[in-house]
Amino acid sequence: MTQQMTEQYLANSRRGVRRTVTILVGVVVAFFLLSFLQILLMK
Amino acid sequence: MSHAATHDQHDDHHGAPKNFFQRWCMSTNHKDIGTLYLIFALTMFFIGGSFAMVIRAELFKPGLQLVQPYFFNEMTTMHALVMIFGAIMPAFVGLGNWMIPLMVGAPDMALPRMNNLSFWILPFAFTLLLSTLFMPGGGPAGGWTMYPPLSLQSDSLAYVVFAIHLMGISSIMGAINIIATILNMRAPGMDLLKMPVFVWSWLITAFLLIAVMPVLAGAVTMLLTDKYFGTNFFNPGGGGDPVLYQHIFWFFGHPEVYIMILPAFGIISEVIPTFARKPIFGYKAMVFAIASIAFLSFIVWAHHMFAVGLPLGADIFFMYATMLIAVPTGVKVFNWVATMWGGSMTFETPMLFAVAFVILFTIGGFSGLMLALVPADFQYQDTYFVVAHFHYVLVTGALFAIISATYYWLPKWSGRMYSEFWGKVHFWNSVVWVNVLFFPQHFLGLAGMPRRIPDYNVAFANFNMISSIGGFLFGASQLIFLGVLIHGVFFSKKKATDRVWEGAKGLEWTVPSPAPHHTFEVPPVIHDEELAHGNVNA
């Protein structure tokens, strides 16, 4: 029972890590491009 | 909790690799990578400190004494870049790497290989940055803010921009790793609002890093294209605007200031409850205060630019928004005092540095409030008052917190107690000389001495001499720190217990000292009453 819980816990962690990293990388790219966009908007 | 500790020893059946190269260059272990970050930060601290010694030696007397003005400007620029990106930030990342998995009951960071890459980028980035000092044309000398058009005149701009890109990539990867670890790897039962304040402070700091490091990368990329690819982002002759660079830079730069202080708040919130033997006062308020400060850090950037001639409405908005930060910061200071109030306090070295932090950081906060006032700032802009302000915040703030954390967790890392006597000698020397170094700089600034100059009016001679003497002795005091560390790690005979400090609570104190190479491979059992801040729902 404990073993099963640990495996499910690890699987959930891995899935969560993948989702978190995907979202955060998207945010990083968006902010990088935003700094250029800021210039175009202020022109 | 004891259950967790038992599991731990059982899990440590495979230790660290014996091969030096494998252990330290190819490591994916959060403790080893944390150690690497801390050693790197300490090295950079002494390199950046040696630049500060050159600055204070030149300013010891009026007139040009030791170095040429261009070299002096290189020193002020490099001192800032090395201390900010090489010493303070990697030190916090090192502490986070070491302690976050231990504090949330995770076996390691979420992305161990990326963790290795995040660290190993840094030595290359700083070798590149420091190598510019030896190049024809010299290193960057236009200040760490790299304002155009001055920064565009530097021959080494491309090297510096590349070095900053590398540092930014390292920081972003580190931040993603920390967020992924905290959000997904906590032990069952370690709810978000049960996490130690240090972990909370790092979670919020990591979001700040992710939001602003790409903006710095964008700003310096535009500098690069302006210099080498014929663009005119910041060139008025081509329709650009140099003030725009300042907006973009400070949109990064102000949150960057909080990136360097929020983890310090977290550290102090761990140290004070331990030595006051009381749970932190107002745990949730402390967490919300950190989040509020982080949010406000995004809407105050133009207070660095009052003197460029912003519209009056912008001046007023940024002035009031900046002053608003005093509210959550005040909550934190009062809560630290309330935690100490009525506690059974003892004053071991980590606590001494923490108490000094609370007092001296508050002085830096108050001078910050003065600088937030638009009419007053017109007088203070670019004077030594600003230098005094940010050194109170960053040296007696961020650096003292890092030193406090090092003394606090060193026995857990090394398994040996450091010398309390020499720790206290280090503390008293640091706290006296740091004030001799920076307090007179308030008076110099108010009297009108500009920052970033190698020579000055004789009217400023006495306070500069006092400041330089303080600087030399503060610098020398840090050699005591180095000695205490080397002794504490390699030679001390006194073994550390698992809990180390009588009042210490939290998961990290349930593992043996020194912490085994692998910990929490089986998630620990969390008991609310054993958490550092008590039962928050009680």
Side-chain angles (χ1 to χ4, degrees):
Chain A
M1 188 67 181
T2 314
Q3 180 69 17
Q4 217 171 18
M5 270 181 65
T6 309
E7 273 167 21
Q8 197 182 353
Y9 164 76
L10 288 175
N12 286 341
S13 290
R14 280 195 209 102
R15 212 173 18 250
V17 167
R18 274 197 293 275
R19 197 169 44 227
T20 310
V21 171
T22 310
I23 294 169
L24 293 178
V25 169
V27 171
V28 168
V29 174
F31 269 86
F32 181 73
L33 296 175
L34 196 69
S35 55
F36 290 92
L37 191 67
Q38 192 181 0
I39 289 221
L40 295 176
L41 290 176
M42 289 177 85
K43 278 274 184 187
Chain B
M1 292 293 248
S2 53
H3 179 66
T6 317
H7 266 293
D8 248 291
Q9 283 154 320
H10 172 73
D11 285 336
D12 191 39
H13 48 78
H14 45 289
K18 296 276 183 286
N19 180 302
F20 182 88
F21 180 79
Q22 262 196 330
R23 166 133 195 212
W24 295 108
C25 298
M26 301 179 66
S27 179
T28 52
N29 182 285
H30 73 101
K31 300 180 187 82
D32 284 353
I33 295 174
T35 304
L36 288 170
Y37 265 111
L38 290 169
I39 292 169
F40 177 80
L42 190 67
T43 310
M44 286 294 135
F45 172 63
F46 281 103
I47 292 174
S50 69
F51 297 162
M53 294 299 106
V54 173
I55 294 168
R56 284 319 319 171
E58 178 57 49
L59 295 174
F60 189 75
K61 283 202 303 186
L64 291 178
Q65 309 294 322
L66 301 168
V67 295
Q68 294 301 312
Y70 188 85
F71 186 72
F72 182 89
N73 290 343
E74 284 180 315
M75 289 292 99
T76 54
T77 306
M78 284 294 201
H79 167 70
L81 288 171
V82 168
M83 287 303 202
I84 292 169
F85 295 107
I88 301 288
M89 287 174 68
F92 281 133
V93 180
L95 292 169
N97 249 300
W98 245 106
M99 301 315 299
I100 288 172
L102 285 179
M103 287 174 141
V104 300
D108 205 310
M109 298 295 279
L111 305 147
R113 290 191 189 90
M114 192 166 87
N115 204 14
N116 176 293
L117 182 62
S118 302
F119 171 75
W120 278 107
I121 284 176
L122 283 181
F124 294 98
F126 279 89
T127 306
L128 192 65
L129 180 70
L130 292 169
S131 69
T132 60
L133 288 173
F134 304 100
M135 289 179 182
W144 81 283
T145 51
M146 296 179 292
Y147 281 0
L150 188 60
S151 63
L152 297 177
Q153 295 169 15
S154 167
D155 292 335
S156 55
L157 184 75
Y159 292 87
V160 177
V161 167
F162 188 42
I164 288 173
H165 278 149
L166 290 175
M167 292 167 208
I169 291 166
S170 164
S171 293
I172 289 167
M173 289 197 299
I176 289 175
N177 215 341
I178 283 171
I179 294 173
T181 306
I182 296 173
L183 293 186
N184 301 295
M185 307 273 288
R186 299 192 311 280
M190 176 62 83
D191 301 342
L192 281 175
L193 276 175
K194 288 179 183 173
M195 294 192 311
V197 183
F198 177 68
V199 178
W200 259 111
S201 71
W202 242 122
L203 179 64
I204 293 165
T205 302
F207 276 109
L208 284 185
L209 274 167
I210 283 180
V212 301
M213 291 312 283
V215 177
L216 174 68
V220 296
T221 305
M222 285 181 260
L223 281 182
L224 194 73
T225 59
D226 266 15
K227 186 168 170 74
Y228 294 106
F229 299 101
T231 59
N232 292 296
F233 288 114
F234 310 124
N235 176 15
D241 185 356
V243 175
L244 202 56
Y245 174 84
Q246 298 186 22
H247 280 292
I248 300 172
F249 179 85
W250 286 114
F251 185 80
F252 145 79
H254 200 78
E256 169 67 19
V257 174
Y258 292 98
I259 286 164
M260 288 189 284
I261 204 65
L262 295 185
F265 289 169
I267 289 164
I268 301 305
S269 302
E270 299 299 325
V271 172
I272 287 179
T274 295
F275 295 99
R277 292 164 180 77
K278 274 174 67 189
I280 187 95
F281 183 89
Y283 167 80
K284 286 182 182 172
M286 291 301 248
V287 172
F288 286 121
I290 295 175
S292 308
I293 294 168
F295 169 74
L296 289 171
S297 75
F298 284 105
I299 57 166
V300 296
W301 76 89
H303 68 215
H304 296 271
M305 304 164 52
F306 285 146
V308 301
L310 298 173
L312 186 62
D315 276 349
I316 290 170
F317 171 80
F318 285 108
M319 175 172 78
Y320 281 117
T322 304
M323 293 174 77
L324 209 56
I325 295 179
V327 177
T329 312
V331 167
K332 299 197 75 63
V333 172
F334 283 121
N335 281 5
W336 287 323
V337 174
T339 305
M340 288 187 268
W341 186 265
S344 306
M345 299 223 289
T346 50
F347 294 93
E348 287 86 345
T349 312
M351 182 63 161
L352 287 173
F353 274 101
V355 173
F357 171 98
V358 175
I359 297 166
L360 299 174
F361 174 80
T362 305
I363 291 177
F366 279 134
S367 59
L369 268 179
M370 293 168 72
L371 287 159
L373 300 165
V374 176
D377 185 72
F378 273 55
Q379 304 298 314
Y380 305 146
Q381 169 82 26
D382 268 343
T383 68
Y384 256 82
F385 192 82
V386 182
V387 179
H389 156 69
F390 68 70
H391 279 98
Y392 264 89
V393 176
L394 289 177
V395 178
T396 59
L399 178 65
F400 271 30
I402 290 165
I403 295 173
S404 172
T406 307
Y407 282 119
Y408 183 56
W409 284 313
L410 188 72
K412 177 56 65 189
W413 302 336
S414 70
R416 300 165 198 260
M417 292 304 288
Y418 61 87
S419 162
E420 196 60 50
F421 171 79
W422 283 104
K424 285 182 172 143
V425 170
H426 172 223
F427 168 75
W428 285 110
N429 271 288
S430 295
V431 84
V432 168
W433 300 123
V434 84
N435 282 292
V436 174
L437 166 58
F438 293 122
F439 209 79
Q441 294 182 3
H442 291 106
F443 305 133
L444 287 168
L446 291 174
M449 178 170 161
R451 60 191 289 206
R452 294 170 172 160
I453 53 163
D455 187 11
Y456 50 83
N457 191 302
V458 286
F460 307 131
N462 289 345
F463 279 133
N464 265 302
M465 190 176 283
I466 293 168
S467 182
S468 288
I469 291 169
F472 300 143
L473 291 169
F474 179 70
S477 308
Q478 302 323 303
L479 298 175
I480 302 172
F481 182 43
L482 188 64
V484 176
L485 288 180
I486 292 170
H487 173 261
V489 172
F490 297 110
F491 303 109
S492 174
K493 297 273 188 292
K494 198 173 169 194
K495 299 285 179 205
T497 59
D498 291 356
R499 191 160 291 276
V500 182
W501 312 106
E502 184 192 41
K505 286 187 170 181
L507 282 181
E508 75 268 37
W509 306 108
T510 63
V511 303
S513 298
H517 199 59
H518 296 284
T519 38
F520 298 134
E521 289 191 44
V522 171
V525 177
I526 312 288
H527 299 298
D528 285 3
E529 64 279 5
E530 275 290 324
L531 296 174
H533 39 74
N535 187 350
V536 289
N537 296 317

